[in-house]
Amino acid sequence: MQSFPQFDESWKNWLDENIRRGCSHQSMIDAMVANAFDPNTAHSILSRRIAGEEVDAAAVSSSASYVYGKQMLPQGPVIKANDCRARVLFSSSQPVVALLGDVLTEEECERLIEIGRQSVKQSAVVDPASGAEIIIRERTSQGAFVNGSVDPLVAKIDRRLAELTNIPLENGEDLHLLRYGIGGEYRPHFDYFPEELAGSRHHLQRGGQRIATVILYLNEVELGGETTFPNVGLSVRPQRGSALYFEYGNELGQVDPKTLHAGNPVEQGEKWIATKWIRRSRFQPLPQDA
Ligand SMILES: O=C(O)CCC(=O)C(=O)O
Ligand SMILES: [Fe+2]
């Protein structure tokens, strides 16, 4: 079992003193995370102390829970963009998830798959031992990032998603096209970057934490390939043209662990999706992409 550090009297004094001195919130969170506090817990304790609330050790484990504030996604049965009326087929508030129908037309899905066939590569990582490219078991699929310079349709879809989600266009990463063949899957993961890991720093510098995801389903899978949320027992079957939206970053800087999700193995047919990962601030291209 994971053990959590005690939020004892000395931590309380340290935090209060640093709040009084006007230290940046991030520096206090960094110090707590470096001392093995869960990042959600650290955010939550800090916001409580700033608000003048007592935080006792027993409350710390429950304080790790994500605070659901106002949803970013517009409410109502239909969400409109300039060139689209998306029907809300399903929604949940904890975690914030919505399945939207009629986001893409048949022709747009076909065209994105065509673009994908020309651009996707096997998802691979460099083996730290040998330096060779290896295929990772967590993600058996082929992917590629595309933007408006690849095809005007991509720019049109980027605009549509920004209007539907009400999140600025520039906060979105390039659209990620992904193909899974038989047996292809994406094992349970979070889309946000673990802030306690040094390896995340580089990603976080490019527009801050990821706060929401839109998965566009480009085809229907004959068997398998559902997107599942194992912590909440939710399973979504890909339907061509529909979009799965979920958000996991709040105003307090917490991230929502209930958004753990997976792409189930494809058993028959193939699966094509386009994913838009959305940052808290403007997404910065890498210097070599600019
Ligand atoms: O394939 C899926 O259904 C999930 C894809 C996913 O999790 C992602 O693109 O981040
Ligand atoms: Fe994901």
PDB file of all heavy atoms in Angstrom, residues 178 180 186 189 191 215 217 225-227 261-263 271 273 275 277, ligand 1:
ATOM      1  N   LEU A 178      -4.755   8.307 -34.919  1.00  0.00           N
ATOM      2  CA  LEU A 178      -4.297   7.033 -34.356  1.00  0.00           C
ATOM      3  C   LEU A 178      -5.058   5.868 -34.981  1.00  0.00           C
ATOM      4  O   LEU A 178      -6.290   5.927 -35.109  1.00  0.00           O
ATOM      5  CB  LEU A 178      -4.542   7.069 -32.841  1.00  0.00           C
ATOM      6  CG  LEU A 178      -3.779   6.106 -31.952  1.00  0.00           C
ATOM      7  CD1 LEU A 178      -2.275   6.303 -32.071  1.00  0.00           C
ATOM      8  CD2 LEU A 178      -4.178   6.305 -30.486  1.00  0.00           C
ATOM      9  N   TYR A 180      -5.548   1.623 -34.739  1.00  0.00           N
ATOM     10  CA  TYR A 180      -5.282   0.360 -34.055  1.00  0.00           C
ATOM     11  C   TYR A 180      -5.724  -0.764 -34.983  1.00  0.00           C
ATOM     12  O   TYR A 180      -6.844  -0.739 -35.495  1.00  0.00           O
ATOM     13  CB  TYR A 180      -6.118   0.213 -32.790  1.00  0.00           C
ATOM     14  CG  TYR A 180      -6.008   1.290 -31.733  1.00  0.00           C
ATOM     15  CD1 TYR A 180      -6.787   2.441 -31.800  1.00  0.00           C
ATOM     16  CD2 TYR A 180      -5.191   1.119 -30.629  1.00  0.00           C
ATOM     17  CE1 TYR A 180      -6.742   3.400 -30.795  1.00  0.00           C
ATOM     18  CE2 TYR A 180      -5.138   2.065 -29.611  1.00  0.00           C
ATOM     19  CZ  TYR A 180      -5.909   3.206 -29.705  1.00  0.00           C
ATOM     20  OH  TYR A 180      -5.868   4.139 -28.711  1.00  0.00           O
ATOM     21  N   TYR A 186      -4.681   0.644 -26.022  1.00  0.00           N
ATOM     22  CA  TYR A 186      -3.987   1.694 -25.277  1.00  0.00           C
ATOM     23  C   TYR A 186      -4.338   1.405 -23.820  1.00  0.00           C
ATOM     24  O   TYR A 186      -5.482   1.540 -23.412  1.00  0.00           O
ATOM     25  CB  TYR A 186      -4.495   3.058 -25.732  1.00  0.00           C
ATOM     26  CG  TYR A 186      -3.615   4.245 -25.397  1.00  0.00           C
ATOM     27  CD1 TYR A 186      -3.794   5.449 -26.063  1.00  0.00           C
ATOM     28  CD2 TYR A 186      -2.617   4.165 -24.430  1.00  0.00           C
ATOM     29  CE1 TYR A 186      -3.015   6.554 -25.776  1.00  0.00           C
ATOM     30  CE2 TYR A 186      -1.827   5.260 -24.146  1.00  0.00           C
ATOM     31  CZ  TYR A 186      -2.036   6.456 -24.826  1.00  0.00           C
ATOM     32  OH  TYR A 186      -1.265   7.536 -24.535  1.00  0.00           O
ATOM     33  N   HIS A 189      -4.407   4.774 -18.668  1.00  0.00           N
ATOM     34  CA  HIS A 189      -3.456   5.889 -18.492  1.00  0.00           C
ATOM     35  C   HIS A 189      -4.232   7.166 -18.200  1.00  0.00           C
ATOM     36  O   HIS A 189      -5.448   7.232 -18.376  1.00  0.00           O
ATOM     37  CB  HIS A 189      -2.621   6.080 -19.767  1.00  0.00           C
ATOM     38  CG  HIS A 189      -3.449   6.501 -20.950  1.00  0.00           C
ATOM     39  ND1 HIS A 189      -4.203   5.620 -21.677  1.00  0.00           N
ATOM     40  CD2 HIS A 189      -3.680   7.723 -21.502  1.00  0.00           C
ATOM     41  CE1 HIS A 189      -4.841   6.255 -22.632  1.00  0.00           C
ATOM     42  NE2 HIS A 189      -4.556   7.551 -22.546  1.00  0.00           N
ATOM     43  N   ASP A 191      -4.269  11.292 -19.288  1.00  0.00           N
ATOM     44  CA  ASP A 191      -3.725  12.148 -20.346  1.00  0.00           C
ATOM     45  C   ASP A 191      -2.881  13.269 -19.749  1.00  0.00           C
ATOM     46  O   ASP A 191      -2.046  13.843 -20.434  1.00  0.00           O
ATOM     47  CB  ASP A 191      -4.857  12.725 -21.210  1.00  0.00           C
ATOM     48  CG  ASP A 191      -5.404  11.676 -22.175  1.00  0.00           C
ATOM     49  OD1 ASP A 191      -4.803  10.589 -22.280  1.00  0.00           O
ATOM     50  OD2 ASP A 191      -6.432  11.949 -22.821  1.00  0.00           O
ATOM     51  N   ILE A 215     -11.778  12.936 -27.982  1.00  0.00           N
ATOM     52  CA  ILE A 215     -11.449  11.817 -28.875  1.00  0.00           C
ATOM     53  C   ILE A 215     -12.531  11.763 -29.951  1.00  0.00           C
ATOM     54  O   ILE A 215     -13.717  11.601 -29.640  1.00  0.00           O
ATOM     55  CB  ILE A 215     -11.393  10.479 -28.108  1.00  0.00           C
ATOM     56  CG1 ILE A 215     -10.264  10.507 -27.066  1.00  0.00           C
ATOM     57  CG2 ILE A 215     -11.193   9.314 -29.076  1.00  0.00           C
ATOM     58  CD1 ILE A 215     -10.198   9.260 -26.182  1.00  0.00           C
ATOM     59  N   TYR A 217     -14.187   9.786 -32.954  1.00  0.00           N
ATOM     60  CA  TYR A 217     -14.238   8.430 -33.508  1.00  0.00           C
ATOM     61  C   TYR A 217     -14.474   8.524 -35.016  1.00  0.00           C
ATOM     62  O   TYR A 217     -15.482   9.097 -35.452  1.00  0.00           O
ATOM     63  CB  TYR A 217     -15.361   7.623 -32.848  1.00  0.00           C
ATOM     64  CG  TYR A 217     -15.138   7.417 -31.365  1.00  0.00           C
ATOM     65  CD1 TYR A 217     -15.931   8.071 -30.421  1.00  0.00           C
ATOM     66  CD2 TYR A 217     -14.123   6.583 -30.916  1.00  0.00           C
ATOM     67  CE1 TYR A 217     -15.727   7.888 -29.059  1.00  0.00           C
ATOM     68  CE2 TYR A 217     -13.907   6.397 -29.549  1.00  0.00           C
ATOM     69  CZ  TYR A 217     -14.715   7.052 -28.637  1.00  0.00           C
ATOM     70  OH  TYR A 217     -14.502   6.865 -27.291  1.00  0.00           O
ATOM     71  N   GLY A 225     -12.384  -2.393 -28.954  1.00  0.00           N
ATOM     72  CA  GLY A 225     -11.978  -1.015 -29.233  1.00  0.00           C
ATOM     73  C   GLY A 225     -12.738   0.050 -28.457  1.00  0.00           C
ATOM     74  O   GLY A 225     -12.598   1.239 -28.753  1.00  0.00           O
ATOM     75  N   GLU A 226     -13.522  -0.341 -27.449  1.00  0.00           N
ATOM     76  CA  GLU A 226     -14.239   0.675 -26.666  1.00  0.00           C
ATOM     77  C   GLU A 226     -13.242   1.522 -25.871  1.00  0.00           C
ATOM     78  O   GLU A 226     -12.162   1.049 -25.510  1.00  0.00           O
ATOM     79  CB  GLU A 226     -15.193   0.015 -25.636  1.00  0.00           C
ATOM     80  CG  GLU A 226     -16.198  -0.947 -26.207  1.00  0.00           C
ATOM     81  CD  GLU A 226     -15.665  -2.368 -26.331  1.00  0.00           C
ATOM     82  OE1 GLU A 226     -14.459  -2.603 -26.068  1.00  0.00           O
ATOM     83  OE2 GLU A 226     -16.458  -3.246 -26.710  1.00  0.00           O
ATOM     84  N   THR A 227     -13.639   2.747 -25.586  1.00  0.00           N
ATOM     85  CA  THR A 227     -12.855   3.559 -24.644  1.00  0.00           C
ATOM     86  C   THR A 227     -13.488   3.327 -23.276  1.00  0.00           C
ATOM     87  O   THR A 227     -14.698   3.483 -23.122  1.00  0.00           O
ATOM     88  CB  THR A 227     -12.935   5.062 -25.003  1.00  0.00           C
ATOM     89  OG1 THR A 227     -12.585   5.211 -26.376  1.00  0.00           O
ATOM     90  CG2 THR A 227     -12.015   5.886 -24.124  1.00  0.00           C
ATOM     91  N   HIS A 261      -8.258   6.171 -18.177  1.00  0.00           N
ATOM     92  CA  HIS A 261      -9.012   5.596 -19.291  1.00  0.00           C
ATOM     93  C   HIS A 261      -8.114   4.728 -20.157  1.00  0.00           C
ATOM     94  O   HIS A 261      -6.887   4.795 -20.058  1.00  0.00           O
ATOM     95  CB  HIS A 261      -9.678   6.703 -20.129  1.00  0.00           C
ATOM     96  CG  HIS A 261      -8.688   7.637 -20.741  1.00  0.00           C
ATOM     97  ND1 HIS A 261      -8.060   8.634 -20.015  1.00  0.00           N
ATOM     98  CD2 HIS A 261      -8.182   7.711 -21.990  1.00  0.00           C
ATOM     99  CE1 HIS A 261      -7.230   9.287 -20.804  1.00  0.00           C
ATOM    100  NE2 HIS A 261      -7.276   8.748 -22.017  1.00  0.00           N
ATOM    101  N   ALA A 262      -8.755   3.942 -21.002  1.00  0.00           N
ATOM    102  CA  ALA A 262      -8.008   2.996 -21.842  1.00  0.00           C
ATOM    103  C   ALA A 262      -8.722   2.831 -23.170  1.00  0.00           C
ATOM    104  O   ALA A 262      -9.928   3.086 -23.275  1.00  0.00           O
ATOM    105  CB  ALA A 262      -7.948   1.642 -21.129  1.00  0.00           C
ATOM    106  N   GLY A 263      -7.982   2.384 -24.174  1.00  0.00           N
ATOM    107  CA  GLY A 263      -8.592   1.944 -25.434  1.00  0.00           C
ATOM    108  C   GLY A 263      -8.524   0.426 -25.417  1.00  0.00           C
ATOM    109  O   GLY A 263      -7.432  -0.146 -25.437  1.00  0.00           O
ATOM    110  N   LYS A 271      -9.527   0.345 -35.895  1.00  0.00           N
ATOM    111  CA  LYS A 271     -10.092   1.498 -35.179  1.00  0.00           C
ATOM    112  C   LYS A 271      -9.270   2.734 -35.539  1.00  0.00           C
ATOM    113  O   LYS A 271      -8.041   2.709 -35.450  1.00  0.00           O
ATOM    114  CB  LYS A 271     -10.026   1.231 -33.667  1.00  0.00           C
ATOM    115  CG  LYS A 271     -10.410   2.426 -32.793  1.00  0.00           C
ATOM    116  CD  LYS A 271     -10.343   2.022 -31.324  1.00  0.00           C
ATOM    117  CE  LYS A 271     -10.524   3.177 -30.377  1.00  0.00           C
ATOM    118  NZ  LYS A 271     -10.305   2.777 -28.975  1.00  0.00           N
ATOM    119  N   ILE A 273      -9.057   6.885 -34.658  1.00  0.00           N
ATOM    120  CA  ILE A 273      -9.523   8.029 -33.862  1.00  0.00           C
ATOM    121  C   ILE A 273      -8.624   9.235 -34.142  1.00  0.00           C
ATOM    122  O   ILE A 273      -7.510   9.083 -34.668  1.00  0.00           O
ATOM    123  CB  ILE A 273      -9.500   7.753 -32.327  1.00  0.00           C
ATOM    124  CG1 ILE A 273      -8.087   7.374 -31.858  1.00  0.00           C
ATOM    125  CG2 ILE A 273     -10.500   6.705 -31.927  1.00  0.00           C
ATOM    126  CD1 ILE A 273      -7.923   7.354 -30.333  1.00  0.00           C
ATOM    127  N   THR A 275      -7.332  12.466 -31.767  1.00  0.00           N
ATOM    128  CA  THR A 275      -7.385  12.988 -30.391  1.00  0.00           C
ATOM    129  C   THR A 275      -6.889  14.425 -30.343  1.00  0.00           C
ATOM    130  O   THR A 275      -5.848  14.752 -30.928  1.00  0.00           O
ATOM    131  CB  THR A 275      -6.517  12.117 -29.454  1.00  0.00           C
ATOM    132  OG1 THR A 275      -7.011  10.776 -29.483  1.00  0.00           O
ATOM    133  CG2 THR A 275      -6.570  12.616 -28.019  1.00  0.00           C
ATOM    134  N   TRP A 277      -5.678  16.939 -27.484  1.00  0.00           N
ATOM    135  CA  TRP A 277      -5.339  17.160 -26.076  1.00  0.00           C
ATOM    136  C   TRP A 277      -5.265  18.671 -25.865  1.00  0.00           C
ATOM    137  O   TRP A 277      -4.628  19.389 -26.660  1.00  0.00           O
ATOM    138  CB  TRP A 277      -4.002  16.515 -25.734  1.00  0.00           C
ATOM    139  CG  TRP A 277      -4.038  15.015 -25.698  1.00  0.00           C
ATOM    140  CD1 TRP A 277      -4.765  14.231 -24.856  1.00  0.00           C
ATOM    141  CD2 TRP A 277      -3.317  14.119 -26.555  1.00  0.00           C
ATOM    142  NE1 TRP A 277      -4.523  12.902 -25.129  1.00  0.00           N
ATOM    143  CE2 TRP A 277      -3.645  12.804 -26.158  1.00  0.00           C
ATOM    144  CE3 TRP A 277      -2.422  14.298 -27.608  1.00  0.00           C
ATOM    145  CZ2 TRP A 277      -3.121  11.676 -26.776  1.00  0.00           C
ATOM    146  CZ3 TRP A 277      -1.889  13.174 -28.237  1.00  0.00           C
ATOM    147  CH2 TRP A 277      -2.245  11.879 -27.811  1.00  0.00           C
TER     148      TRP A 277
HETATM  149  O1  LIG B   1      -8.321   4.650 -28.181  1.00  0.00           O
HETATM  150  C1  LIG B   1      -8.993   5.125 -27.280  1.00  0.00           C
HETATM  151  O2  LIG B   1     -10.197   4.890 -27.176  1.00  0.00           O
HETATM  152  C2  LIG B   1      -8.328   5.996 -26.246  1.00  0.00           C
HETATM  153  C3  LIG B   1      -7.312   6.927 -26.823  1.00  0.00           C
HETATM  154  C4  LIG B   1      -6.647   7.767 -25.796  1.00  0.00           C
HETATM  155  O3  LIG B   1      -6.729   7.522 -24.640  1.00  0.00           O
HETATM  156  C5  LIG B   1      -5.871   8.953 -26.189  1.00  0.00           C
HETATM  157  O4  LIG B   1      -5.711   9.202 -27.399  1.00  0.00           O
HETATM  158  O5  LIG B   1      -5.386   9.663 -25.275  1.00  0.00           O
END
